[in-house]
Amino acid sequence: MNDHYPALLIISPLLFAFLVSGMAWIRKGLCYPLALVGSGLCTWFSVRLLADVLQKGVVQYRLGGWETPWGIGYHVDTLNGMVLAVVSVLAFINLVATRRSVSAEFPEKEGAFYTLYLLFIVGLVGMVVTGDLFNLYVLLEVASLTSYALIALGGPRAPLASLNYLFMGTIGGCFYLLGVGYLYIMTGSLNMADVASLLPGIYSSTAIWAAFTFCMVGIGIKMAFFPLHGWLPNAYTFAPSSVSSLMAPLMTKVMVYVMIRLMLSVFTIDFTFSVLSLGTAMVWLSILAIVTGALLALAQKNLKRMFCYIIVSEIGYMVGGAWLGNAAGMTGAILHILNDALMTICLFLTAANVHYRISGLELHQLRGLFHRMPLTMACFVAAGLSIIGVPPTCGFFSKWYLITGALQAGQYGFVAALLFSSLVNVILFFRVIEISYYGDMQHPHGHGSPAGPRTEAPATMLAPLLIVSAGLVIIGVYTGTIVTTVIDPIIPATLVR
Amino acid sequence: MKAAGLIIVLLTGGLLLYATQDFPPWGAPDSPASTHVSPRYLQKATEETAVPNIVTAVLADYRGFDTMFETTVIFCAGIGCFVLLRIFRQKPEDRYYRHIATEITLHIKGGRLPNKSREFERIDTLWTPYDLVIKTVCRILAPFIQLFALYVIAHGHHSPGGGFQGGVILGASIILIAISHNMRTAIARISEKVDNLLMAVGVFIYAGIGAVCVMLGAAFLDYGNLSVILFADEIMARSHGILGVEIGVGITVMAVMISIYNNLASAGKQDEGL
């Protein structure tokens, strides 16, 4: 069974998705437990796989038993081992955490909802685990289609936001597919490792440059990299809370992973930095992303919308870090995938809990929230500190690597942008904290006493949030171990140390 | 904004065209696409999988994993339409019934008459005249269309065809019934519940065959190992495995076609429609 983890971690949620879909018509009550089992198995297998990879090195898996350039191969090293574990664990936690809001929001379509949820996990996990360019595209489509449907389930404005996302996402997918098509015409192969070995002879060809550009633009749209981020704020704001806390932390981060995978394992560092010399331009674009994201976040009056623009800004961190062209920057970018996924899910789960109790996320509605939901707000503060980058939390360490990398590369603009966005984050979070701590209760009970009744979210929603926010500190403390065991082995030797 | 869009489109198109100048000539025998991976498919597919149609061998065996997810994409589309369009809570509506013996039409507010009755037949609110020729022709044609669909699925090993095409034809036969009679007649043949179950069953067959291979100790979708339970040698087992997954694809594609049609045409009510 040990050899089959790479396949099992994707077929278990897949098979359970179909079981859930069928069960919705037979016994509705079983849908949620089945979804839980499917997602749980996926988590179990991916954590075991990560342990295997750390112990024995790269794991290969051949689907259908065919040798790789002819069949489809899975290639798991520590980079995707880590991302796999993050995706599956967070998806599982979110499944537990949002059970109540799901059954409150769409009681009749629970079965179909959990089917889509599991298939979304399949799409993300499959994109991360695969070593085949076209297989990645197919799974991107699975993840995208399910996310369009899930987002459109939200309030009255959600379908339009989802349609907009559908247009943008389809264009992104097409660009990626065009890039893959060009690569196939030039190399005759779809396997990532095979393409990487065939490319060096034809690096100078314009078709390869075009393939690279199209892949990057396609992925850029899907990860909401700054000028292409237009779809994200509406889509994630209007999505149901259970969906936005699944998608916001995972979808964009998986796309960042895909970008880094293409840079490292398909086009190789050599091509990306020496032949193309796009590094500086990309770093400047991400500086723009960071600054604009931060400024737009400052302009928002809705909590979830503010988080969305923080994501846009954070994507800039990761893209910029990866394109700095040195080991520290790449380490920071990869570490930030993990950290940002944790911070974002923490923020969005807070939003889900608050929404569950006060059904509104406008900033002025948050008054007195510290008295009503002290634990939830404590987690919010933890996530805020992490995003600002205060030492014991994990956000500090990835920022540290990013700044070190930027200084090494002489990209002082990137350093300035990082510091600027940190300062803006301070303002953003302390504004919310001020409103919800010092602001009066909206409907004070008793005679001017600030303490209203404690209406903390139910335990099933609160416990996962507490676990995630504890994770922020734990990951922060163990950053050193993570960097040496997980990230260092996959940084290519050709990168400047 | 429009001008900016135009410029971007022109730039992108220009870049695409500019990059094609490095392409190998169209159909050149020494181009990478025809020298690297494909020769092996052409030379060995038939002896390795016992499938004369190499396209089928590549789609369902060598790259069967992709095809499984393509089927999943179709399943997602079906579920997505269901989730977004299906309306469960309905206000009681006006309904029309025809007394079969006298052909007198009743207009009833709130829909109180039973759906099935010997004396009354329900007709759509947007009633279209009864057309004997169309109904009869479509009813006679439907079984032959379905037979052809089954042939397309089963003969995919030898001729162009397979699960996707066969499934579309199967679905089209039911949609033809819905168009020529009315939606209720089609739903009486395949109810919504059965249709939605079939949607999941089809992909489940596909992924399940792959999972059986894992249980037998081989890689996922390695049909060769099915020889143990199929009483055939490994190569024939591959051929049978391909047929199995094609059947799964056919079922899902058919059910998704019907489900999407019903939900779209009835605006999610699955009650009456085109």
Side-chain angles (χ1 to χ4, degrees), chain A residues 64 70 109 132 135 194 206, chain B residues 22 36 41 63 66 86 220:
Chain A
W70 294 283
K109 291 172 178 169
D132 190 277
N135 194 232
D194 199 32
T206 37
Chain B
D22 273 4
H36 185 55
Y41 292 148
R63 299 190 68 88
D66 278 345
R86 187 78 173 93
F220 186 63

Side-chain angles (χ1 to χ4, degrees), chain A residues 14 43 73 80 92 108 189 201-202 291 319 385 426 482:
Chain A
L14 184 71
T43 311
N80 46 7
F92 180 74
E108 287 146 339
S189 179
I202 44 173
V291 174
V319 176
L385 291 179
V426 172
I482 293 172

Side-chain angles (χ1 to χ4, degrees), chain A residues 4 11 22 25 61-62 64 66 70 74 108-109 112 132 134-135 138 145 153 182 186 188 194 205-206 210, chain B residues 16 19 22 32 36-37 40-41 48 61 63 65-66 68-69 73 83 86 89 193 196-197 218-220 238:
Chain A
H4 290 296
I11 52 181
W25 295 90
Y61 190 83
R62 298 206 161 86
W66 298 107
W70 294 283
Y74 276 176
E108 287 146 339
K109 291 172 178 169
D132 190 277
F134 185 71
N135 194 232
V138 176
L145 266 184
L153 277 172
Y182 272 41
M186 294 306 289
D194 199 32
S205 141
T206 37
Chain B
L16 272 172
D22 273 4
H36 185 55
V37 184
R40 146 135 191 186
Y41 292 148
E48 279 178 346
D61 195 350
R63 299 190 68 88
F65 194 60
D66 278 345
M68 182 175 81
F69 285 112
V73 165
V83 159
R86 187 78 173 93
R89 260 166 287 166
K193 178 178 171 180
N196 275 271
L197 283 176
F220 186 63
R238 284 199 171 274

Side-chain angles (χ1 to χ4, degrees), chain B residues 161-226:
Chain B
F164 288 100
Q165 293 84 342
V168 167
I169 301 173
L170 267 181
S173 73
I174 302 288
I175 294 175
L176 183 68
I177 296 283
I179 293 175
S180 62
H181 293 67
N182 53 38
M183 184 173 285
R184 277 187 308 284
T185 314
I187 290 180
R189 301 285 189 286
I190 293 188
S191 73
E192 193 193 5
K193 178 178 171 180
V194 169
D195 191 52
N196 275 271
L197 283 176
L198 282 179
M199 251 158 74
V201 165
V203 235
F204 193 83
I205 289 176
Y206 201 140
I209 288 176
V212 170
C213 299
V214 175
M215 280 176 215
L216 293 172
F220 186 63
L221 286 175
D222 189 351
Y223 312 127
N225 266 49
L226 293 175

Side-chain angles (χ1 to χ4, degrees), chain B residues 4 33 90 92 96 103 135 148 159 170 205 253 255 260:
Chain B
Q90 296 175 25
Y96 290 90
E103 299 221 333
K135 271 190 173 179
F148 179 67
S159 57
L170 267 181
I205 289 176
V253 171
I260 291 181

Side-chain angles (χ1 to χ4, degrees), chain A residues 96-97 349 353 373-377 379 456-469:
Chain A
V96 176
L349 282 182
N353 285 4
M373 308 176 80
L375 288 172
T376 305
M377 290 313 283
C379 296
E456 198 54 85
T460 49
M461 297 180 83
L462 193 60
L465 179 60
L466 288 172
I467 292 171
V468 172
S469 49

